[in-house]
Amino acid sequence: MKTNYKKQLKSLEELKKINLTNSIQRGINMAKSRNYTSKTLKRLFALSGNQCAFPNCNKEMTNKDNAQDSNICHIEAKNSKGKRYNSNMTDSQRDDYPNLIVLCVQHHDLIDNDADTYVVEVLKEMKQKHEIEITKKLSPLKTISVIDRVVHKISEIDIEQIGSSEIEFSFKPEDKIQYNNIKIYKPLFDEYKIYSSKLNAIYDEIDAEGSLKKIMLLRNIKSIYLKIKGQLGINSQADIQNQADNIIEQVESELLNKIGNDLDEENIEFAIKVILVDAFMRCKILEEPLP
């Protein structure tokens, strides 16, 4: 009798997905006493891979034996007596995904006992690098399918249209990263720029069908970027350089908020990051380096 390896692999993947879903739910249940939204918790645990984000720590956060070790940590403290407190943040911002990181008990204590070393930028970069490693484990075939669906979803955002001055070519990513003074998101851009060819293949298919979704997508992302610039009161390149990572984070969050809940959170996140990096390279986010 022939062994149906594809069927076995599919069953194994389904089992892993069930176990991951159960782990995420345990983490969510444990955090009910806090003011985290369900969407924030789902995103946080899914993208952490249910592992401590501290470098070289693979401790699982929410399996049945050590669920008590699951720690949702605030990067900028929740109260004024905590570490890295930011008085300019609202309570909802403090409990939102960008300000949270999953760490085991030991490393939670470490970052709070050495706040001079583990400043906000260090923790955000730590989280970013950890999530990059987790998303690398996604199936490439599944990823392409998800990106395709996310492209269509983002293209349907009901947002004001910008002018018709379109830039359809990319500059050297490293030059634009340096020109805009990107720090926290630099590892993400360095890692994800290789996926642009996959996204371009989808764009080619869309163009071949005579669809305007590609143009609409890029215009929508540009509109979101311009809106955020206005909200932050940015009027110069110096302002952009001071807030580049904050701008990118807000654009990413805005895009994620426009996506429905019918896709797996980690797959949505991966697709959004690919689209975000591609839009950056097409000069829809942040500014072009001077010639």
Side-chain angles (χ1 to χ4, degrees):
M1 179 181 296
K2 292 184 178 180
T3 303
N4 191 333
Y5 291 106
K6 289 185 178 180
K7 187 173 182 180
Q8 286 185 355
L9 180 60
K10 183 177 180 181
S11 297
L12 180 59
E13 290 177 344
E14 288 176 349
L15 180 60
K16 287 181 178 179
K17 186 173 181 179
I18 291 172
N19 289 337
L20 178 61
T21 300
N22 290 340
S23 294
I24 292 171
Q25 190 57 52
R26 279 193 290 270
I28 291 173
N29 291 339
M30 289 163 55
K32 280 183 177 179
S33 61
R34 296 293 186 98
N35 295 321
Y36 311 127
T37 66
S38 295
K39 187 171 183 178
T40 293
L41 291 172
K42 183 180 178 183
R43 183 182 177 195
L44 186 66
F45 278 98
L47 299 180
S48 72
N50 295 299
Q51 292 180 356
C52 174
F54 199 89
N56 301 317
C57 180
N58 296 320
K59 189 168 186 179
E60 292 186 359
M61 293 292 94
T62 57
N63 68 40
K64 63 182 180 180
D65 297 320
N66 69 359
Q68 69 274 14
D69 283 351
S70 177
N71 259 12
I72 298 177
C73 314
H74 288 81
I75 294 174
E76 297 184 74
K78 185 171 178 63
N79 59 68
S80 59
K81 295 182 180 180
K83 304 295 183 180
R84 299 171 296 274
Y85 181 74
N86 180 357
S87 61
N88 293 322
M89 295 181 77
T90 64
D91 287 340
S92 61
Q93 288 174 329
R94 294 187 181 100
D95 286 332
D96 200 6
Y97 169 81
N99 192 48
L100 304 175
I101 183 172
V102 175
L103 294 171
C104 64
V105 172
Q106 291 76 14
H107 287 123
H108 188 185
D109 291 341
L110 175 64
I111 67 166
D112 279 353
N113 291 333
D114 190 3
D116 290 336
T117 298
Y118 298 103
V119 296
V120 172
E121 290 74 16
V122 169
L123 294 179
K124 287 193 172 185
E125 185 173 345
M126 181 190 299
K127 177 182 176 182
Q128 190 75 258
K129 287 182 176 180
H130 177 71
E131 291 181 354
I132 288 172
E133 291 303 311
I134 295 300
T135 53
K136 279 182 182 178
K137 300 175 183 178
L138 290 174
S139 163
L141 292 177
K142 186 175 183 181
T143 296
I144 292 175
S145 175
V146 171
I147 291 175
D148 188 26
R149 294 166 68 184
V150 172
V151 165
H152 285 73
K153 278 184 172 288
I154 298 178
S155 298
E156 295 167 359
I157 295 174
D158 183 15
I159 194 169
E160 58 200 11
Q161 297 296 314
I162 64 168
S164 59
S165 178
E166 295 289 320
I167 302 173
E168 296 296 338
F169 56 90
S170 300
F171 294 85
K172 289 183 179 180
E174 56 270 22
D175 291 342
K176 190 173 179 184
I177 288 170
Q178 183 177 5
Y179 181 67
N180 288 280
N181 194 33
I182 299 170
K183 297 178 180 178
I184 295 171
Y185 274 81
K186 184 180 184 300
L188 175 74
F189 285 9
D190 288 341
E191 186 75 31
Y192 276 61
K193 63 186 179 184
I194 64 172
Y195 294 109
S196 285
S197 61
K198 297 181 184 294
L199 185 57
N200 282 333
I202 293 173
Y203 282 157
D204 288 343
E205 289 183 13
I206 293 174
D207 287 343
E209 295 170 359
S211 173
L212 296 177
K213 286 187 178 292
K214 171 188 172 182
I215 295 175
M216 291 173 63
L217 167 67
L218 295 173
R219 284 182 175 177
N220 281 328
I221 294 174
K222 182 76 172 185
S223 292
I224 290 171
Y225 165 59
L226 293 176
K227 182 180 74 172
I228 289 171
K229 276 182 65 178
Q231 290 173 342
L232 295 175
I234 291 176
N235 298 308
S236 67
Q237 184 60 23
D239 291 340
I240 290 175
Q241 290 174 339
N242 288 331
Q243 297 209 57
D245 288 300
N246 183 30
I247 293 169
I248 298 168
E249 183 178 276
Q250 290 198 38
V251 171
E252 182 181 10
S253 295
E254 185 79 13
L255 291 173
L256 282 162
N257 289 335
K258 303 295 184 182
I259 303 301
N261 296 319
D262 56 327
L263 299 176
D264 292 339
E265 195 75 27
E266 62 269 31
N267 289 325
I268 293 176
E269 182 82 15
F270 179 87
I272 289 292
K273 289 184 186 301
V274 170
I275 293 170
L276 188 72
V277 172
D278 180 77
F280 168 81
M281 294 172 67
R282 293 173 185 267
C283 294
K284 305 304 176 186
I285 302 171
L286 300 183
E287 303 303 311
E288 307 169 19
L290 295 175

